[in-house]
């Protein structure tokens, strides 16, 4: 398979890319590093990427940002950061990418445990994650050409513990091989419309 992984150089993406590269052709997309340059916040950038790349068999997004801050410090514009990047960035990747996905191909998006088990400072990322879960379930009913779509929702991953541990009291970090398996299940399995939850504390 020819697999496009947006965010494939990131903390999670790096492990996912390394795994799929053993058996498949992997193309990594990112704003600064990778095989193709793309900013998912901008539809034009997504279109330009696919025009240069052509068709692929699987599209993974392991990228997208949202602001973490106390709710009483969040402005309207602060919420738009997550809506434009992690939410609409992934929606636009599917909206545009369906024209560049081979028949039978799959989309795999990324959210996180905050959709189901939020912690303080996460009103924006939790909102966005929940929206993507609903989007995936709904759009899976309408995709054509045998296209599938799933989302991997992981808890705090082991490789990010140093950065985020203080925000997640009592959460058990998720081993990287378990997170990778969420993406494998989506890409190599047959399911669609699934929220693949990789949690360890519920
Ligand atoms: N870390 C965790 O514990 C955890 C748990 C559950 C869910 N998640 C979610 O999983 C995703 C990846 O997390 P991570 O920890 O691996 O993040 P990360 O280490 O910051 O990596 C993110 C990757 O995405 C790329 N990227 C970011 N914004 C982009 C954009 N607008 N367009 C294209 N590429 C973009 C970055 O590359 P460039 O800078 O080159 O663009 C980078 O390679 C995030 O959405 C995060 O919320 C993370």
């Amino acid at each position: 398979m020819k697999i496009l992984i947006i965010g494939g150089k990131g903390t999670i993406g790096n492990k996912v890319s390394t795994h799929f590269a053993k058996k498949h052709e992997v193309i990594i997309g990112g704003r600064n590093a990778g095989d193709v340059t793309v900013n998912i916040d901008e539809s034009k950038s997504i279109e330009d990427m696919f025009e240069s790349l052509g068709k692929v068999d699987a599209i993974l997004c392991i990228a997208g940002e949202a602001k973490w801050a106390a709710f009483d410090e969040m402005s309207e514009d602060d919420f738009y950061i997550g809506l434009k990047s992690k939410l609409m960035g992934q929606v636009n990747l599917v909206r545009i990418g369906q024209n560049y996905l081979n028949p039978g191909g799959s989309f795999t998006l990324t959210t996180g445990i905050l959709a189901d088990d939020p912690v303080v400072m996460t009103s924006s990322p939790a909102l966005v994650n929940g929206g993507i879960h609903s989007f995936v379930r709904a759009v899976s009913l309408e995709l054509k050409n045998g296209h599938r779509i799933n989302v991997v929702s992981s808890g705090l991953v082991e490789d990010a513990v140093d950065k985020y541990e203080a925000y997640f009291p009592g959460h058990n970090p998720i081993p990287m091989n378990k997170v990778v398996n969420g993406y494998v299940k989506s890409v190599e399995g047959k399911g669609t419309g699934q929220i693949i939850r990789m949690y360890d504390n519920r």
Side-chain angles (χ1 to χ4, degrees):
M1 273 191 280
K2 195 171 177 181
I3 301 180
L4 170 64
I5 305 181
I6 313 289
K9 295 270 185 200
T11 308
I12 297 174
N14 182 44
K15 292 283 161 63
V16 173
S17 304
T18 302
H19 175 86
F20 280 115
K22 291 178 199 158
K23 283 202 294 186
H24 304 283
E25 179 188 352
V26 168
I27 301 143
I28 293 175
R31 293 166 302 184
N32 304 300
D35 307 307
V36 285
T37 303
V38 63
N39 181 354
I40 61 165
D41 301 9
E42 309 290 340
S43 288
K44 175 77 167 61
S45 176
I46 296 173
E47 281 161 4
D48 289 348
M49 171 191 65
F50 280 120
E51 273 306 300
S52 74
L53 205 56
K55 295 210 168 189
V56 297
D57 301 298
I59 299 171
L60 281 64
C61 185
I62 315 177
E65 294 168 349
K67 180 155 180 166
W68 288 48
F71 180 63
D72 61 6
E73 291 172 6
M74 288 285 291
S75 68
E76 181 176 351
D77 282 344
D78 287 337
F79 276 98
Y80 287 136
I81 295 168
L83 295 177
K84 191 163 174 54
S85 178
K86 195 169 181 180
L87 181 72
M88 284 311 298
Q90 297 199 87
V91 170
N92 282 326
L93 193 65
V94 176
R95 192 178 59 78
I96 297 163
Q98 63 185 332
N99 302 314
Y100 297 89
L101 188 62
N102 283 326
S106 67
F107 292 99
T108 306
L109 307 186
T110 297
T111 57
I113 193 170
L114 299 172
D116 298 312
D117 191 4
V119 295
V120 294
M121 317 265 277
T122 61
S123 56
S124 175
L127 162 76
V128 163
N129 286 348
I132 295 168
H133 288 183
S134 296
F135 167 73
V136 163
R137 293 178 63 203
V139 81
S140 71
L141 305 174
E142 295 190 41
L143 289 178
K144 299 185 171 66
N145 300 317
H147 291 167
R148 298 181 299 107
I149 184 167
N150 301 296
V151 53
V152 176
S153 181
S154 163
L156 171 64
V157 303
E158 271 185 352
D159 285 4
V161 164
D162 290 349
K163 206 168 159 190
Y164 293 108
E165 191 175 30
Y167 292 101
F168 289 91
H171 282 231
N172 297 316
I174 310 301
M176 298 313 291
N177 67 323
K178 186 170 177 179
V179 179
V180 168
N181 269 339
Y183 294 87
V184 173
K185 183 175 185 185
S186 177
V187 173
E188 297 183 356
K190 291 292 173 203
T192 190
Q194 294 185 345
I195 301 160
I196 300 170
R197 290 179 167 89
M198 293 302 186
Y199 304 161
D200 208 12
N201 61 342
R202 306 179 77 238

